[in-house]
Amino acid sequence: MQKEFTDALYELFVQQNLSLTQSMLIISRKPKRDAVKRAAFLIYSSLEGGCLFSNALKTCSEIKFDDVYISFILLAEKNGDLKSTVSYLRQKLKRKKEERKKLVEASIYPAFVILLSIAASVFVGVYTNTADFLSLTKYVVIFLCLCAFMYFLIFRMLVDDKLCEAFTAVDFLLKNGIDLSEAVGCAVQVAGPSGSIGRLFENARIKLTYGMDLRSAFDCRSSRRFSEIFYYADTGGSQLDLFSRISANLEAQNEKRRSICLSLVEPVFITMAGGFILMILMTFFMPLINDISWI
């Protein structure tokens, strides 16, 4: 719902250049009754009552706007560039949706192979009346656990990179006039405050607040590959496109990794399914085959 709301807001507020209040009013009167319409009405009522947009989003009960979304809107209200922020948030949500779509598409074929393998094993066991179904159930559970582990690895390979998103957020904020330390602090919400990347950006924010340079502020194992870029930015004084170059570099690496992962999905799951069926045959049906060969 958050993406649908942002798409509607982008169309009216950014593309058609209507005021924020007008945009909310139009969305609240759209024909389709859904959470977006109800949320727009609540936000419109809050705006009419003199509430800030960020506070209206916080109190909206129909759509749960995350902390990152609200933080960016709050910074935009301070900076006065709400339209570019809405455009950025729309692109961010669009990237997230595309990542989920890739994950679903990557899951369809393995799921089909898994179900077909299990169905074939159960069918043959019932048809030949040779399978010990307690043992067969145990093998199926082990196979499903292994497949779940592989799904987890695929998810980790295809899911959006928080480090890349954090650098992209810093680049956007810097280009919209936000102070460097404040922009890095906002990226903590994007990366997740409790994660290692979030802690990296939080430590960098503190160090930048005390006047340390970028290379020293981001001095940790996960960012040493950017040490040279930070060095040239510190000595040359050009930070305008620094974070965009880093995020572009990370995105290129991520895309390469995703391509490799997607190309390996089919052969890996076919091999796993083949191994499962072979194990079932060897365990339950080989004695039957041996009996037939003696006849």
Side-chain angles (χ1 to χ4, degrees):
M1 285 294 108
Q2 194 171 237
K3 183 182 182 304
E4 288 77 3
F5 175 86
T6 308
D7 287 340
L9 179 61
Y10 174 82
E11 174 63 29
L12 296 169
F13 183 57
V14 179
Q15 294 290 88
Q16 298 187 28
N17 204 29
L18 298 177
S19 69
L20 184 60
T21 306
Q22 284 179 311
S23 301
M24 290 297 102
L25 180 60
I26 292 173
I27 296 172
S28 68
R29 290 178 175 175
K30 70 189 186 81
K32 184 180 178 181
R33 292 181 176 273
D34 54 14
V36 173
K37 178 176 180 175
R38 295 191 296 272
F41 177 76
L42 292 174
I43 294 169
Y44 169 76
S45 301
S46 299
L47 293 174
E48 284 290 286
C51 188
L52 290 173
F53 186 40
S54 56
N55 290 332
L57 294 175
K58 285 180 185 177
T59 57
C60 180
S61 58
E62 293 296 331
I63 298 176
K64 176 64 176 176
F65 294 95
D66 57 47
D67 293 337
V68 175
Y69 197 102
I70 295 172
S71 296
F72 272 87
I73 294 297
L74 184 60
L75 283 173
E77 288 173 339
K78 292 179 181 179
N79 193 47
D81 193 4
L82 187 57
K83 289 185 178 181
S84 62
T85 300
V86 171
S87 300
Y88 167 78
L89 290 171
R90 178 174 175 268
Q91 289 299 319
K92 183 178 183 297
L93 292 170
K94 184 179 179 182
R95 287 194 300 270
K96 193 171 183 179
K97 183 178 180 181
E98 288 174 352
E99 296 297 335
R100 288 176 179 173
K101 183 180 178 182
K102 288 180 181 178
L103 182 62
V104 171
E105 290 174 349
S107 303
I108 292 174
Y109 183 81
F112 175 76
V113 171
I114 292 167
L115 292 175
L116 187 63
S117 302
I118 294 174
S121 301
V122 172
F123 173 77
V124 174
V126 171
Y127 183 76
T128 58
N129 198 27
T130 57
D132 178 358
F133 281 96
L134 184 62
S135 299
L136 179 61
T137 302
K138 182 175 68 175
Y139 282 124
V140 168
V141 170
I142 293 172
F143 178 57
L144 288 175
C145 290
L146 182 60
C147 291
F149 176 72
M150 292 303 299
Y151 265 116
F152 173 76
L153 292 180
I154 292 171
F155 177 79
R156 289 294 301 271
M157 292 290 285
L158 296 180
V159 76
D160 58 319
D161 185 359
K162 290 185 177 181
L163 183 61
C164 180
E165 283 291 342
F167 277 119
T168 303
V170 174
D171 174 64
F172 166 76
L173 293 170
L174 286 177
K175 289 178 178 177
N176 282 271
I178 304 298
D179 180 71
L180 177 59
S181 60
E182 189 175 4
V184 171
C186 189
V188 174
Q189 294 294 332
V190 176
S194 60
S196 59
I197 298 173
R199 291 193 296 271
L200 162 66
F201 277 81
E202 177 59 23
N203 291 334
R205 182 193 67 80
I206 296 171
K207 292 176 181 178
L208 288 169
T209 303
Y210 284 100
M212 296 182 71
D213 56 35
L214 283 168
R215 192 181 182 198
S216 301
F218 284 91
D219 183 23
C220 82
R221 184 169 54 185
S222 60
S223 63
R224 278 178 187 166
R225 51 185 159 164
F226 309 118
S227 179
E228 189 172 305
I229 301 176
F230 285 138
Y231 168 75
Y232 288 130
D234 288 329
T235 55
S238 175
Q239 299 176 358
L240 183 62
D241 63 342
L242 169 67
F243 291 94
S244 65
R245 285 188 284 122
I246 293 175
S247 60
N249 178 276
L250 286 170
E251 183 57 34
Q253 294 177 19
N254 292 337
E255 194 58 39
K256 183 178 180 180
R257 186 182 71 241
R258 292 185 195 111
S259 299
I260 294 172
C261 177
L262 289 172
S263 66
L264 291 175
V265 167
E266 291 188 14
V268 166
F269 275 92
I270 288 174
T271 303
M272 288 173 55
F276 170 71
I277 293 175
L278 179 62
M279 180 181 66
I280 295 296
L281 288 172
M282 294 291 291
T283 304
F284 299 117
F285 308 135
M286 187 57 70
L288 178 63
I289 296 173
N290 289 334
D291 292 341
I292 294 173
S293 64
W294 280 103
I295 296 175

